[in-house]
Amino acid sequence: MSKMSTDRHALNGPTMGTRWTALFHAEGVDPGPVRQALQGAVDEVDAQMSVWKPDSDLMRLNAAPVGVPVALPARLMAVLVLGLAVGRATGGAFDITLGDAVRAWGYGPEGATPAAIRAAMGRPRLPAWEALDLDPAAGRAVKRAPVSVDLNGIAKGYGTDRLAEVLREHGIEAALVGIDGEMRALGLRPDGEAWTVAVEAPDRKRRAPLSILALHDAAVATSGDYRHWVQVGDRLLSHTMDPVQGAPLRQSPASVTVVAPGCAEADAFATALMVLGETEGLALAARLGLSALFLLRDGDTIRTASTGAVFDPGS
Protein backbone atom coordinates (compact mmCIF):
# COMPACT_ATOMS: atom_id res chain seq x y z
CA MET A 1 0.00 0.00 0.00
CA SER A 2 1.33 3.43 -0.88
CA LYS A 3 1.99 5.87 1.90
CA MET A 4 -0.58 8.59 2.54
CA SER A 5 0.80 12.10 2.99
CA THR A 6 -0.58 15.23 4.66
CA ASP A 7 2.25 17.46 3.51
CA ARG A 8 3.04 19.69 0.59
CA HIS A 9 2.86 17.97 -2.80
CA ALA A 10 4.88 19.16 -5.80
CA LEU A 11 4.13 16.96 -8.82
CA ASN A 12 5.36 17.26 -12.39
CA GLY A 13 5.72 15.37 -15.63
CA PRO A 14 6.42 15.72 -19.34
CA THR A 15 4.02 17.24 -21.87
CA MET A 16 4.12 19.14 -25.17
CA GLY A 17 7.92 19.29 -25.23
CA THR A 18 8.10 20.80 -21.74
CA ARG A 19 6.88 20.01 -18.19
CA TRP A 20 3.61 20.34 -16.31
CA THR A 21 3.64 21.19 -12.61
CA ALA A 22 1.13 20.99 -9.77
CA LEU A 23 1.67 22.34 -6.25
CA PHE A 24 -0.88 21.74 -3.52
CA HIS A 25 -1.32 21.00 0.19
CA ALA A 26 -3.82 18.34 1.21
CA GLU A 27 -4.50 15.98 4.07
CA GLY A 28 -4.95 12.28 3.49
CA VAL A 29 -4.23 12.42 -0.22
CA ASP A 30 -2.20 9.73 -1.93
CA PRO A 31 -0.23 11.67 -4.57
CA GLY A 32 0.30 8.63 -6.80
CA PRO A 33 -3.20 8.42 -8.30
CA VAL A 34 -3.39 12.22 -8.51
CA ARG A 35 -0.16 12.38 -10.49
CA GLN A 36 -1.39 9.59 -12.78
CA ALA A 37 -4.64 11.46 -13.44
CA LEU A 38 -2.81 14.72 -14.12
CA GLN A 39 -0.46 13.03 -16.56
CA GLY A 40 -3.40 11.34 -18.26
CA ALA A 41 -5.18 14.67 -18.70
CA VAL A 42 -2.26 16.41 -20.41
CA ASP A 43 -1.50 13.29 -22.47
CA GLU A 44 -5.06 13.45 -23.76
CA VAL A 45 -4.67 17.12 -24.70
CA ASP A 46 -1.41 16.36 -26.51
CA ALA A 47 -2.89 13.35 -28.32
CA GLN A 48 -5.79 15.46 -29.58
CA MET A 49 -4.09 18.80 -30.32
CA SER A 50 -0.45 18.18 -31.22
CA VAL A 51 0.96 19.07 -34.65
CA TRP A 52 4.00 16.94 -33.78
CA LYS A 53 1.98 13.71 -33.65
CA PRO A 54 0.88 12.63 -37.17
CA ASP A 55 -2.00 10.61 -35.71
CA SER A 56 -3.42 13.37 -33.47
CA ASP A 57 -7.05 14.39 -33.93
CA LEU A 58 -5.91 17.83 -35.02
CA MET A 59 -3.72 16.35 -37.75
CA ARG A 60 -6.68 14.28 -38.96
CA LEU A 61 -8.55 17.54 -39.41
CA ASN A 62 -5.59 19.11 -41.20
CA ALA A 63 -5.32 16.14 -43.55
CA ALA A 64 -9.01 16.14 -44.45
CA PRO A 65 -10.11 17.54 -47.84
CA VAL A 66 -12.02 20.81 -47.99
CA GLY A 67 -15.75 20.27 -47.52
CA VAL A 68 -15.50 16.84 -45.85
CA PRO A 69 -16.89 16.65 -42.27
CA VAL A 70 -14.42 15.38 -39.67
CA ALA A 71 -15.55 13.88 -36.34
CA LEU A 72 -13.62 15.44 -33.44
CA PRO A 73 -13.49 14.76 -29.68
CA ALA A 74 -15.24 17.19 -27.38
CA ARG A 75 -12.11 18.69 -25.81
CA LEU A 76 -10.53 19.53 -29.14
CA MET A 77 -13.83 20.96 -30.32
CA ALA A 78 -14.02 23.19 -27.23
CA VAL A 79 -10.55 24.59 -27.94
CA LEU A 80 -11.40 25.22 -31.59
CA VAL A 81 -14.60 27.04 -30.57
CA LEU A 82 -12.66 29.22 -28.13
CA GLY A 83 -9.94 29.85 -30.71
CA LEU A 84 -12.44 31.12 -33.27
CA ALA A 85 -14.21 33.23 -30.63
CA VAL A 86 -10.96 34.94 -29.60
CA GLY A 87 -10.15 35.39 -33.28
CA ARG A 88 -13.43 37.23 -33.85
CA ALA A 89 -13.03 39.30 -30.68
CA THR A 90 -9.55 40.43 -31.75
CA GLY A 91 -10.33 41.10 -35.41
CA GLY A 92 -8.25 38.14 -36.54
CA ALA A 93 -5.16 38.95 -34.46
CA PHE A 94 -5.48 35.46 -32.96
CA ASP A 95 -5.66 33.02 -35.87
CA ILE A 96 -5.59 29.24 -35.39
CA THR A 97 -5.34 28.61 -39.17
CA LEU A 98 -1.72 29.71 -39.57
CA GLY A 99 -0.28 26.21 -39.39
CA ASP A 100 1.32 26.48 -42.82
CA ALA A 101 3.18 29.66 -41.81
CA VAL A 102 4.26 28.20 -38.46
CA ARG A 103 5.75 25.17 -40.19
CA ALA A 104 7.24 27.16 -43.07
CA TRP A 105 9.28 29.28 -40.67
CA GLY A 106 10.64 26.24 -38.83
CA TYR A 107 8.42 26.16 -35.75
CA GLY A 108 6.86 22.78 -36.53
CA PRO A 109 8.27 19.28 -37.02
CA GLU A 110 9.95 20.30 -40.29
CA GLY A 111 12.70 22.86 -40.67
CA ALA A 112 12.25 26.23 -42.36
CA THR A 113 12.28 26.19 -46.17
CA PRO A 114 12.39 29.22 -48.50
CA ALA A 115 9.75 27.77 -50.84
CA ALA A 116 7.31 27.16 -47.99
CA ILE A 117 7.98 30.65 -46.60
CA ARG A 118 7.20 32.25 -49.97
CA ALA A 119 4.02 30.21 -50.26
CA ALA A 120 2.87 31.11 -46.73
CA MET A 121 3.53 34.81 -47.30
CA GLY A 122 1.89 34.87 -50.70
CA ARG A 123 -1.34 33.00 -50.13
CA PRO A 124 -4.65 34.84 -49.62
CA ARG A 125 -6.29 34.00 -46.31
CA LEU A 126 -9.85 33.89 -45.08
CA PRO A 127 -10.56 34.78 -41.46
CA ALA A 128 -10.31 31.59 -39.41
CA TRP A 129 -14.02 31.71 -38.52
CA GLU A 130 -14.86 31.66 -42.23
CA ALA A 131 -12.33 28.98 -43.13
CA LEU A 132 -13.53 26.54 -40.47
CA ASP A 133 -17.12 25.47 -39.78
CA LEU A 134 -17.70 23.92 -36.36
CA ASP A 135 -20.73 21.94 -35.19
CA PRO A 136 -20.09 21.24 -31.49
CA ALA A 137 -23.43 19.50 -30.99
CA ALA A 138 -22.63 16.97 -33.70
CA GLY A 139 -18.91 16.89 -32.89
CA ARG A 140 -17.91 17.70 -36.48
CA ALA A 141 -15.74 20.27 -38.22
CA VAL A 142 -15.59 21.17 -41.90
CA LYS A 143 -12.83 23.14 -43.60
CA ARG A 144 -14.12 25.73 -46.09
CA ALA A 145 -10.62 26.51 -47.34
CA PRO A 146 -7.36 24.50 -47.52
CA VAL A 147 -6.10 25.65 -44.13
CA SER A 148 -3.83 24.03 -41.56
CA VAL A 149 -4.85 24.48 -37.93
CA ASP A 150 -2.20 25.09 -35.27
CA LEU A 151 -3.12 25.41 -31.58
CA ASN A 152 0.26 26.31 -30.09
CA GLY A 153 -1.17 29.66 -28.95
CA ILE A 154 -3.87 28.05 -26.81
CA ALA A 155 -3.20 24.33 -26.16
CA LYS A 156 -0.81 24.79 -23.22
CA GLY A 157 -3.28 27.13 -21.59
CA TYR A 158 -6.04 24.57 -22.08
CA GLY A 159 -3.78 21.84 -20.71
CA THR A 160 -3.25 23.97 -17.62
CA ASP A 161 -7.01 24.32 -17.21
CA ARG A 162 -7.30 20.55 -17.42
CA LEU A 163 -4.75 20.15 -14.62
CA ALA A 164 -6.92 22.40 -12.44
CA GLU A 165 -10.05 20.42 -13.33
CA VAL A 166 -8.40 17.11 -12.42
CA LEU A 167 -7.32 18.42 -9.01
CA ARG A 168 -10.85 19.56 -8.30
CA GLU A 169 -12.12 16.12 -9.30
CA HIS A 170 -9.85 14.76 -6.57
CA GLY A 171 -11.28 17.16 -4.00
CA ILE A 172 -8.32 19.55 -4.08
CA GLU A 173 -9.57 23.13 -4.11
CA ALA A 174 -6.32 25.01 -3.46
CA ALA A 175 -3.39 24.60 -5.86
CA LEU A 176 -1.09 26.19 -8.37
CA VAL A 177 -0.72 24.37 -11.70
CA GLY A 178 1.08 25.21 -14.91
CA ILE A 179 2.63 24.22 -18.21
CA ASP A 180 5.75 26.07 -19.34
CA GLY A 181 4.89 29.32 -17.59
CA GLU A 182 1.14 29.29 -18.25
CA MET A 183 -0.27 29.13 -14.72
CA ARG A 184 -3.59 28.78 -12.96
CA ALA A 185 -4.29 29.26 -9.25
CA LEU A 186 -7.09 27.58 -7.34
CA GLY A 187 -8.14 29.07 -4.02
CA LEU A 188 -5.54 30.33 -1.56
CA ARG A 189 -2.37 28.96 -0.03
CA PRO A 190 -2.63 27.26 3.40
CA ASP A 191 -1.56 30.54 5.07
CA GLY A 192 -4.55 32.30 3.52
CA GLU A 193 -2.44 34.29 1.06
CA ALA A 194 -2.74 34.33 -2.72
CA TRP A 195 -0.44 32.20 -4.83
CA THR A 196 2.53 34.10 -6.22
CA VAL A 197 3.71 33.87 -9.83
CA ALA A 198 6.64 35.68 -11.40
CA VAL A 199 6.37 37.81 -14.52
CA GLU A 200 9.59 36.98 -16.33
CA ALA A 201 12.02 39.63 -17.55
CA PRO A 202 12.21 39.50 -21.38
CA ASP A 203 15.85 38.40 -21.44
CA ARG A 204 17.03 35.94 -24.10
CA LYS A 205 20.16 34.99 -22.14
CA ARG A 206 18.83 34.19 -18.68
CA ARG A 207 15.66 33.56 -16.72
CA ALA A 208 14.89 36.16 -14.07
CA PRO A 209 11.72 37.61 -12.53
CA LEU A 210 10.72 41.18 -13.33
CA SER A 211 7.75 41.39 -10.97
CA ILE A 212 5.43 39.19 -8.91
CA LEU A 213 1.71 38.59 -9.38
CA ALA A 214 -0.67 37.44 -6.66
CA LEU A 215 -3.25 35.01 -8.07
CA HIS A 216 -6.48 33.81 -6.45
CA ASP A 217 -8.81 31.71 -8.60
CA ALA A 218 -7.29 33.14 -11.76
CA ALA A 219 -4.92 32.21 -14.58
CA VAL A 220 -1.99 33.98 -16.20
CA ALA A 221 -0.27 33.48 -19.55
CA THR A 222 2.58 35.31 -21.23
CA SER A 223 3.49 35.57 -24.91
CA GLY A 224 6.96 36.93 -25.65
CA ASP A 225 9.73 37.27 -28.21
CA TYR A 226 12.61 36.10 -26.01
CA ARG A 227 12.27 32.30 -25.70
CA HIS A 228 11.54 31.12 -29.26
CA TRP A 229 12.68 33.03 -32.33
CA VAL A 230 14.13 32.69 -35.81
CA GLN A 231 17.13 34.66 -37.04
CA VAL A 232 16.92 36.28 -40.49
CA GLY A 233 20.12 38.11 -41.33
CA ASP A 234 20.98 40.17 -38.28
CA ARG A 235 17.39 40.24 -36.99
CA LEU A 236 15.75 37.98 -34.41
CA LEU A 237 12.08 37.46 -35.28
CA SER A 238 9.45 36.36 -32.79
CA HIS A 239 7.77 32.97 -33.12
CA THR A 240 4.43 34.81 -32.98
CA MET A 241 2.96 34.98 -36.47
CA ASP A 242 1.49 38.02 -38.19
CA PRO A 243 -1.80 36.71 -39.65
CA VAL A 244 -1.74 39.33 -42.41
CA GLN A 245 1.81 38.61 -43.58
CA GLY A 246 1.99 34.87 -42.89
CA ALA A 247 5.37 35.56 -41.27
CA PRO A 248 6.86 36.28 -37.83
CA LEU A 249 6.06 39.68 -36.39
CA ARG A 250 8.57 42.30 -37.51
CA GLN A 251 7.85 44.51 -34.52
CA SER A 252 6.15 43.50 -31.32
CA PRO A 253 6.18 44.03 -27.59
CA ALA A 254 8.89 42.12 -25.74
CA SER A 255 6.04 40.30 -23.99
CA VAL A 256 2.37 40.52 -23.09
CA THR A 257 0.97 38.97 -19.91
CA VAL A 258 -2.77 38.45 -19.51
CA VAL A 259 -4.67 37.48 -16.36
CA ALA A 260 -8.08 35.88 -16.93
CA PRO A 261 -10.41 33.37 -15.25
CA GLY A 262 -9.16 30.51 -17.47
CA CYS A 263 -5.69 29.81 -18.81
CA ALA A 264 -6.74 28.92 -22.36
CA GLU A 265 -8.42 32.32 -22.62
CA ALA A 266 -5.37 34.08 -21.14
CA ASP A 267 -3.04 32.20 -23.49
CA ALA A 268 -4.98 33.12 -26.64
CA PHE A 269 -5.44 36.78 -25.72
CA ALA A 270 -1.75 37.17 -24.81
CA THR A 271 -0.86 36.03 -28.33
CA ALA A 272 -3.43 38.35 -29.92
CA LEU A 273 -2.19 41.37 -27.97
CA MET A 274 1.38 40.62 -29.07
CA VAL A 275 0.16 40.79 -32.66
CA LEU A 276 -1.78 44.03 -32.13
CA GLY A 277 1.04 45.80 -30.31
CA GLU A 278 0.95 48.46 -27.64
CA THR A 279 -1.54 51.00 -28.96
CA GLU A 280 -4.16 48.72 -30.52
CA GLY A 281 -3.59 45.97 -27.98
CA LEU A 282 -4.08 48.18 -24.93
CA ALA A 283 -7.20 49.72 -26.47
CA LEU A 284 -8.71 46.31 -27.23
CA ALA A 285 -7.81 44.91 -23.81
CA ALA A 286 -9.50 47.89 -22.15
CA ARG A 287 -12.65 47.45 -24.28
CA LEU A 288 -12.81 43.74 -23.43
CA GLY A 289 -12.09 44.28 -19.74
CA LEU A 290 -8.86 42.26 -19.85
CA SER A 291 -6.01 42.69 -17.38
CA ALA A 292 -2.90 42.95 -19.55
CA LEU A 293 0.71 43.95 -18.97
CA PHE A 294 2.91 44.96 -21.93
CA LEU A 295 6.70 44.93 -21.61
CA LEU A 296 8.21 47.13 -24.32
CA ARG A 297 11.80 47.65 -25.42
CA ASP A 298 13.13 51.19 -25.57
CA GLY A 299 16.71 50.68 -26.62
CA ASP A 300 18.38 48.78 -23.79
CA THR A 301 15.63 49.48 -21.28
CA ILE A 302 12.21 47.93 -20.65
CA ARG A 303 9.16 50.05 -20.01
CA THR A 304 5.71 48.84 -19.06
CA ALA A 305 2.17 49.67 -20.15
CA SER A 306 -0.91 48.05 -18.67
CA THR A 307 -4.66 48.02 -18.31
CA GLY A 308 -7.22 46.18 -16.22
CA ALA A 309 -7.96 45.63 -12.55
CA VAL A 310 -4.97 43.36 -11.86
CA PHE A 311 -2.29 45.70 -13.18
CA ASP A 312 -4.09 49.05 -12.75
CA PRO A 313 -6.19 48.62 -9.58
CA GLY A 314 -7.59 52.15 -9.84
CA SER A 315 -8.80 51.74 -13.42
Side-chain angles (χ1 to χ4, degrees):
M1 177 182 289
S2 58
K3 183 180 179 180
M4 305 297 283
S5 173
T6 60
D7 206 352
R8 173 181 183 272
H9 301 283
L11 309 180
N12 68 88
T15 188
M16 305 182 206
T18 184
R19 306 287 294 180
W20 62 265
T21 60
L23 174 63
F24 61 93
H25 300 255
E27 294 186 4
V29 171
D30 181 354
V34 177
R35 187 195 182 285
Q36 185 176 9
L38 292 169
Q39 187 66 58
V42 293
D43 286 349
E44 179 186 47
V45 173
D46 201 23
Q48 292 187 14
M49 304 178 201
S50 175
V51 296
W52 294 79
K53 299 179 184 296
D55 59 346
S56 73
D57 295 289
L58 180 63
M59 293 304 286
R60 284 196 300 106
L61 174 62
N62 284 339
V66 172
V68 175
V70 180
L72 297 176
R75 298 198 192 283
L76 173 55
M77 180 63 73
V79 173
L80 293 173
V81 168
L82 178 59
L84 295 190
V86 174
R88 283 181 180 272
T90 60
F94 184 72
D95 190 331
I96 62 173
T97 59
L98 291 173
D100 62 309
V102 172
R103 288 195 309 276
W105 286 90
Y107 292 112
E110 307 89 11
T113 61
I117 288 172
R118 288 192 295 271
M121 294 183 69
R123 71 182 287 182
R125 296 180 184 274
L126 290 174
W129 57 89
E130 293 182 12
L132 198 59
D133 263 355
L134 303 179
D135 185 344
R140 289 194 298 266
V142 178
K143 294 190 297 188
R144 297 303 181 193
V147 295
S148 177
V149 179
D150 185 288
L151 298 175
N152 282 335
I154 193 171
K156 286 179 182 176
Y158 181 76
T160 300
D161 288 335
R162 286 290 297 128
L163 292 173
E165 290 171 3
V166 167
L167 289 184
R168 281 187 165 144
E169 289 166 2
H170 283 77
I172 297 164
E173 295 293 336
L176 182 66
V177 296
I179 298 176
D180 195 28
E182 322 294 29
M183 308 294 294
R184 181 165 172 177
L186 301 179
L188 297 170
R189 299 184 322 197
D191 60 4
E193 296 294 324
W195 299 92
T196 55
V197 174
V199 176
E200 196 172 32
D203 191 328
R204 293 188 175 100
K205 297 180 179 178
R206 65 189 182 98
R207 289 185 179 268
L210 181 76
S211 61
I212 301 296
L213 282 176
L215 290 183
H216 172 212
D217 287 329
V220 61
T222 297
S223 182
D225 69 356
Y226 54 92
R227 284 289 163 255
H228 306 286
W229 64 84
V230 62
Q231 185 162 355
V232 178
D234 60 352
R235 299 189 63 186
L236 297 179
L237 300 179
S238 167
H239 73 293
T240 303
M241 290 290 151
D242 180 342
V244 175
Q245 299 295 326
L249 294 174
R250 292 181 178 274
Q251 292 183 322
S252 72
S255 71
V256 178
T257 296
V258 172
V259 176
C263 203
E265 175 188 359
D267 199 4
F269 276 113
T271 300
L273 297 183
M274 277 285 288
V275 171
L276 291 172
E278 178 185 7
T279 302
E280 289 185 61
L282 280 171
L284 177 68
R287 287 199 302 272
L288 296 178
L290 296 173
S291 287
L293 173 67
F294 288 67
L295 300 185
L296 304 138
R297 289 192 173 88
D298 278 346
D300 294 331
T301 64
I302 296 293
R303 65 180 177 87
T304 65
S306 59
T307 186
V310 173
F311 300 108
D312 293 333
S315 63

